[in-house]
Amino acid sequence: MCGIVAYFGKKAAQPILLEGLKRLEYRGYDSAGVALLKDNQFEIYKTSGRIANLEEILPEVDQQTTIGIGHTRWATHGEPNTINAHPHVDYTGKIVLVHNGIIENYGTLKKWLIKEGCQFKSDTDTEVLANLIGYFYARSQNRNGDAAPKGCDRFEWAVQQALNEIYGTYGLAILCLDCPGVMIGAKKGSPLMLGIGKNEYVFASDASAIIEHTSQAIYLSDNEMVCVSNEGFTTKTITNKTVEKELKEIEISLDQIELEGFDHYMQKEIAEQPEALRTCLNGRIDVKNGRVILGGIQNMLRDLTRTKRVILTACGTAWHAGIVGEFLFEQLARIPCEVEYASEFRYRNPIVEEGTLVIAISQSGETADTLAAIEQAKERGATVLGVVNVVGSTIARTTDAGVYLRIGPEIGVASTKAFTAQVAVLTMLAIELGRRRHLSADAAQGLLKELMGIPNKIEKILDQNDAIKAIAQANMNKENWLFLGRGFNYPVALEGALKLKEISYIHAEGLPAAEMKHGPIALITDYMPAVFIATKCSQYEKIIGNIQEVRARGGRTIVIATEGDEDIKPHADHLITVPDTMEELQPLLTVVPLQMLAYHAAVLRGHDVDKPRNLAKSVTVE
Ligand code: F6R
């Protein structure tokens, strides 16, 4: 949420900032702005709305202006208007910054700063931080009366004083008019990395805004800052202790973040699932011996085998993948397992006994609630694994060990390929733990062989694009939908409903099909679409019964069934088929037509599926 990018080098800053903001726009699109350091002045351009609006108000590119900072906002404090847009300048006019995160104690600090004579223009928490830095810089003294160092060290010192006063989260890029040869970045709780090129530096919230300029980067940890100058860069903590950072190779490539002929990233990412899953599974499966090799946790597996209880924690789509994981751990590894919303787990007083394994699932690796749940679990002594996509992300670094999804960047706000890869990783983990406990080689071999065949089967579902689009067209004007499934397909029903509501703004509910009769069946009206996942499985007959209950009350059924199932036809107003597979692996297939249905319904209703209303990707606020 919120994207920041900053450039310090020899090239014109403006186009680099603009391109970077476009790449980061999925993180927020309420307002945008840039500050350019030109002729010893800050030139600031900001506007409400999308980056396209910002582009319209930017001046002609000045090749001599080679330092600047930019921001695309997902509003938290203050409405998304131009005044509240970043960058924010302090009351002295000397400090300018962009911020991703939340300053929790901004109210107290604001009152105090106003008493000290600072003026405010916006409603944001960020301006409080700008003024706090400006205040310490102007005063050259901290609250204890300690004097500031001289020269540009004073700028760095003022940033440290301010950051030590705030509670909350930040990814920051900061400039000071008196020190035009210095740029400072700092991080706590929100992502920030520094791309290091030849005589140039790019700060950004993620690698997509850096990769065009360099493939070398450092990832900041919490409470760390970087000072960049023409002499190089230094990294330290906000308490002024020097830290050594390792230079890392950025693992994404430019084509992975381009649309490459697709209309939307979501469409591209749905279509990428076969290839993404192949990469996710590649080299990790030994069908012959019925074993799984997961490099990141291999040396822990012996200990993990003794796990007494698994807690899966995540948010949103990743939480739905977690429910599939729960069923897999129970079924294949016979380990008691439960799934927790990270946002709830973090504030409870959870019981985490010895032998509890916590697995945090997150595409971005930056979700604030999931991070807090990890801290909570670690404090209670649990071993915490991460199932994460973004390499080097905070969750990847905070967990004891983990398994990467290896599916390349997911840019569409609605998560698609991450879900299937999360389920695939949890399946591999459950099989391997199962093998080390009681799962027979035969059973594991069968599952792994079938898992390897899933990408080809997804391709067959993608081929039904036109038919699925027609079903979306026929139902897109219905404002209430139900998604119903049982067993392994119950979490898929939840995910199908989430996909539809977040991008098409149609109200949708996902339920275990058998729960209908305990209340929700009252919702059924004539022509209300009810999407049933009714593939061949142990509860097939039961779900047919549930379909009949809905049809008897006038509901319209869109049925996801197994290829070749003739018996289901009379029960379906619309039929979509998926290839047959083992029950445990069905979510990897059944979710795909639901993603496609949601995508088409949203496009047909005229929505921008990659930038849904009120949403943003990578939820770095609570
Ligand atoms: C829905 C969606 C969200 C995310 C959730 C967790 O399509 O994308 O529900 O799944 O915000 O995000 P990560 O996986 O990045 O922790």
Side-chain angles (χ1 to χ4, degrees), residues 52-68:
N53 301 8
L54 176 67
E55 198 165 4
E56 276 175 23
I57 61 164
L58 285 176
E60 212 171 288
V61 173
D62 172 14
Q63 297 298 333
Q64 309 311 316
T65 301
T66 60
I67 295 174

Side-chain angles (χ1 to χ4, degrees), residues 183-194:
M183 180 182 278
I184 295 180
K187 172 196 154 35
K188 184 183 175 197
S190 298
L192 188 69
M193 56 194 292
L194 176 68

Side-chain angles (χ1 to χ4, degrees), residues 315-318 362-364 367 413-415 422 498-499 502 619:
C315 304
T317 288
S362 174
Q363 187 286 128
S364 62
T367 301
V413 168
S415 189
Q422 285 158 351
L498 176 62
K499 285 289 91 79
E502 69 182 329
V619 186

